[in-house]
Amino acid sequence: MPSMTLSPRRAVTVGALAVAAALAAGHLVAGIISPNASPFLAVGNTAIDLTPAAVKDFAIRTFGTYDKVVLLGGMGLVLVVIAVAAGLMSRKGPVPGIVVAILLGGTGIAAVLARPDLSLLAVLAPIASLVSGTAVFYWLHRLRPTPASGRRRFLFVSAGVIAAGVGGQLLATRDVSGSRAAVGDLTPASPAPPIPPDADFGTPRFITSNRDFYRVDTALTVPQLRAEDYALRIHGAVDKELLLSFGDIRRLPLVERTITLTCVSNEVGGPYMSTSNFIGVPLREILAEAGVKPGADQLFSTSVDGWTAGTPVADVVDRGLLAIGMNGEPLPVEHGFPARMVVPGLYGFVSATKWVVDMELTTFAAKKAYWLNRGWAERAPIKTQSRIDAPSGFARVRAGKVLITGTAWAQTRGIAKVEVRANNGPWIPARLAAEVNVDTWRMWRAELDLSPGLHSVECRATDKAGYTQTDQRVPPIPDGATGWHSTTFTAEA
Ligand SMILES: Nc1nc2c(c(=O)[nH]1)N[C@H]1C(S)=C(S)[C@@H](COP(=O)(O)O)O[C@H]1N2
Ligand SMILES: [Mo]
């Protein structure tokens, strides 16, 4: 019966609207229960955890902070293709489309069940997706309506999709921005010394604004954790287990420390480092209250979304911070609100747990953190490195005296010297900006006399422990890149 066959256009619309309805219904229910239960995000987050480390490193390197946008976009594209195919396969009857809807819903259910950060209740979100996707598909498909009643039905579903999607999004984020605003400005009892003007050459600015601070994490959507709901559990090899609320932490004497955070994924010359005035409580005090038993060498921290890091207890006790603020404000949500760890001198993946809710005192022998199972190192102190910030690669500058500017860092040791050279010529010492403290980067500048033509300029730093950067290039994996940064540009007459 040819009249029972849907036109290709209608078939595609039915498929697309059914998938959109499934996503929106799941998002709405997730907004009520737990934002990360949104099936699309749960599938994405599971994909991130299952992705081989090499691919993940490639994605971080290639797309930077946009790696997740690229992943979500790719998943969206795949879904569009599936929706179109499901529609077209179902022109003669709804069964193929319903099978596809159930398979997609099942994928969402499996992904939500596999997430370490979600409770069993969260499975209601992908179930809502499965049910509404299947129902909408069947309902739009079943009748062969008159054009007018068909259009009404499509409009009705479209409006429902938009309302549920927007509603879910509002529910997911409203609470936390309100909670963060209610925390208000943070005033440390012991503020960091002001940055001396001669520490900041402005290339880049010494203190990174909260908005410009680099971001690296595995979270597809930023975990939404209200300060009112926050609890940090400290347990394991301790004399006394602690459970700290946000209020408990805030009431302790707050200190402020200027610290440069660095990501191990940084290639030589890469951008994944920033400096902030972190406000928080020295972890030494909290651990003293708990009483660490002898033999515990690892502080194993877990975020609300199930990410983990293992940090040497000695480093945590020496200089670890439980941070609740950056540059006078509560932590931005994407940087760990309400609380995170910061340990100067260690790459972020072994120390800087955002949205931290659990600290277990244990041993390195007993527990392996997230990135260890993916080929990265167990111990990762930040390596002495330097970077040329200007001129940028392939820039055109005026020949003659050319200003070279950059940054150098060797957290916990401090920078003693930076040298630059052009075209494998002699090393020339750069002028160092004032040191803020050994846990921050240090700006430098040098003037080179360059004739017209193409030039290749390199830099290398020496730290206060006497170590000079090796020219041997190694990749970021397993414990940080080495090698001299170089930049090639043209000097014009
Ligand atoms: N919960 C959680 N915390 C995390 C990560 C993560 O993936 N999840 N990534 C770590 C890494 S690899 C780095 S470099 C720092 C980056 O912190 P930032 O995003 O505030 O710059 O956070 C660390 N803390
Ligand atoms: Mo990192």
Side-chain angles (χ1 to χ4, degrees), residues 213 255-257 259 276-280 321 323 325-326 340 342:
F213 204 97
V255 301
E256 185 178 39
R257 305 255 164 87
I259 298 167
S276 190
N277 285 314
F278 287 99
I279 298 168
L321 201 62
M326 274 167 82
R340 74 175 305 171
V342 178

Side-chain angles (χ1 to χ4, degrees), residues 60 68 213-219 223 261-265 272-274 278 302-309 326 331-332 334-336 340-342 346-356 370-371:
I60 292 175
K68 294 168 193 87
F213 204 97
Y214 83 93
R215 176 182 168 202
V216 170
D217 54 60
T218 59
L261 206 66
T262 308
C263 181
V264 72
S265 308
Y272 300 124
M273 55 185 327
S274 302
F278 287 99
T302 306
S303 66
V304 73
D305 62 336
W307 186 85
T308 56
M326 274 167 82
L331 291 177
E334 60 274 28
H335 293 293
R340 74 175 305 171
M341 283 176 57
V342 178
L346 303 180
Y347 287 116
F349 82 108
V350 292
S351 66
T353 307
K354 306 192 268 189
W355 317 288
V356 62
Y370 187 89
W371 284 107

Side-chain angles (χ1 to χ4, degrees), residues 3 12 103 110 239 359 373 377 419:
S3 65
V12 166
L103 286 178
D239 299 328
M359 294 181 184
N373 305 320
E419 298 160 293

Side-chain angles (χ1 to χ4, degrees), residues 340-402:
R340 74 175 305 171
M341 283 176 57
V342 178
V343 186
L346 303 180
Y347 287 116
F349 82 108
V350 292
S351 66
T353 307
K354 306 192 268 189
W355 317 288
V356 62
V357 293
D358 190 287
M359 294 181 184
E360 180 180 349
L361 278 299
T362 177
T363 62
F364 280 104
K367 288 194 103 163
K368 304 263 169 262
Y370 187 89
W371 284 107
L372 261 64
N373 305 320
R374 294 161 171 86
W376 293 81
E378 179 179 275
R379 316 276 174 138
I382 296 174
K383 295 179 179 177
T384 300
Q385 282 289 314
S386 56
R387 179 179 86 189
I388 299 169
D389 289 313
S392 54
F394 306 108
R396 296 179 167 274
V397 298
R398 286 292 288 272
K401 293 221 175 297
V402 176

